[in-house]
Amino acid sequence: MSNEEQESITEEPTVDHAADAIEGAEAQVAKKEAKRNPTVVVAEDESVNRMDLVAMLEDNGYEVVGEAANGEEAIELTREKRPDVVCMDVKMPHMDGITAAGVICDENLAPVVMLTAFSQADLVKEAIGAGAMAYVTKPYEESKLLPALAVAMGRFAEINDLLDSVERNESELRTTQEQLRDAEEELRKTKETLEERKLIDRAKGLLMDKTNFSESGAFRWIQKTSMDQRIPKKRLAQAIIEKYSDKPNDGE
């Protein structure tokens, strides 16, 4: 066995191993991404309640990526962190939770779950009107909070899938309309070309009949005159037809 053959045998497993390693690494990244804990921003002005809420979320597999004490902070954190969901208290200083939820929902940043007391039914309606996906009444309980978070994230995903579908359909419609315009333009040009050929053929026949041109000679004359005089062949053909169509032959 030659040295080159030995080198090729020893090199092939190395390439295969490298490909396997890359494939394995990609699979691990995909697996890790699939198992990623959902992220959440917590907006609650009362620090004790906020700490309890954060602890409850982390105990149930959520990653708290931001804590806010008012609506303005909640908006900024949501813009920066782009969490999977936002837990927002209704009543907070500087900017209330309903106003903040409206901004977050208008910008389609994340689903919002409103946190409210039993006596705030009217505020709950306002919150839903502002775009909140769900609400949880105080005191916070896992049996109420966790399903509400899941519902909010699910609805948000469905809405965005629908928006993506609408956007794709609109894009496909625009593409179809452009293709239709192109087809209509191509048809128009084809019709014009066909009309021009018919006029040239008629003009060529008249030249052959009235001036004793051969077929090739008549065509060359039309072509050369069009180029020399910078007259479109269609216009020249029309002029020939107007000139000769009603005249008798010279020999008649």
Side-chain angles (χ1 to χ4, degrees):
M1 184 181 291
S2 66
N3 292 335
E4 292 181 354
E5 291 175 339
Q6 291 178 348
E7 288 177 359
S8 65
I9 291 175
T10 56
E11 287 175 358
E12 287 177 358
T14 302
V15 174
D16 291 340
H17 290 162
D20 291 342
I22 293 172
E23 184 177 351
E26 291 176 346
Q28 289 179 358
V29 170
K31 187 176 180 181
K32 184 177 180 182
E33 183 66 20
K35 290 185 176 181
R36 179 182 66 84
N37 291 339
T39 55
V40 57
V41 165
V42 175
E44 165 66 78
D45 61 318
E46 296 183 12
S47 59
V48 174
N49 289 340
R50 187 168 66 248
M51 290 173 60
D52 291 342
L53 183 56
V54 168
M56 182 185 297
L57 290 167
E58 290 178 341
D59 288 344
N60 285 278
Y62 284 84
E63 179 184 356
V64 179
V65 294
E67 298 180 33
N70 59 65
E72 293 174 349
E73 292 178 3
I75 293 171
E76 293 305 316
L77 282 171
T78 304
R79 286 172 175 163
E80 177 185 353
K81 303 296 185 180
R82 298 305 293 264
D84 295 313
V85 66
V86 177
C87 289
M88 182 90 69
D89 190 15
V90 170
K91 287 189 174 181
M92 290 186 293
H94 303 300
M95 179 187 288
D96 63 78
I98 294 176
T99 303
V103 174
I104 291 171
C105 294
D106 286 345
E107 296 182 15
N108 198 34
L109 299 175
V112 177
V113 175
M114 301 303 300
L115 310 174
T116 178
F118 282 111
S119 60
Q120 295 174 309
D122 291 341
L123 292 179
V124 169
K125 292 181 181 180
E126 290 185 38
I128 300 301
M133 296 289 179
Y135 71 93
V136 176
T137 55
K138 300 178 183 179
Y140 311 129
E141 297 176 3
E142 291 182 5
S143 60
K144 295 188 294 185
L145 178 63
L146 299 182
L149 294 174
V151 167
M153 289 188 290
R155 288 177 178 172
F156 186 75
E158 289 176 359
I159 290 172
N160 278 279
D161 286 344
L162 178 61
L163 292 174
D164 290 342
S165 177
V166 170
E167 186 175 346
R168 285 194 301 270
N169 290 338
E170 289 180 346
S171 177
E172 291 173 1
L173 178 60
R174 287 193 295 270
T175 300
T176 302
Q177 289 174 334
E178 290 174 1
Q179 292 173 344
L180 180 59
R181 285 195 294 269
D182 291 342
E184 290 174 343
E185 178 65 17
E186 187 66 25
L187 178 61
R188 184 188 63 79
K189 290 180 179 179
T190 301
K191 287 182 176 179
E192 288 183 353
T193 300
L194 182 60
E195 182 183 357
E196 179 179 299
R197 287 180 180 176
K198 288 181 177 179
L199 289 172
I200 291 174
D201 284 344
R202 187 179 176 190
K204 185 172 61 176
L206 286 170
L207 286 175
M208 293 168 60
D209 184 44
K210 304 295 185 180
T211 62
N212 296 322
F213 269 116
S214 65
E215 182 176 358
S216 59
F219 180 76
R220 283 197 299 271
W221 186 88
I222 292 172
Q223 192 174 43
K224 184 175 186 303
T225 303
S226 173
M227 293 177 60
D228 291 346
Q229 302 297 324
R230 296 181 180 179
I231 301 173
K233 288 195 289 291
K234 181 178 179 180
R235 283 178 52 194
L236 180 59
Q238 288 172 329
I240 293 170
I241 292 169
E242 290 176 0
K243 179 177 180 180
Y244 291 114
S245 58
D246 295 326
K247 287 187 175 183
N249 289 339
D250 293 339
E252 293 180 356

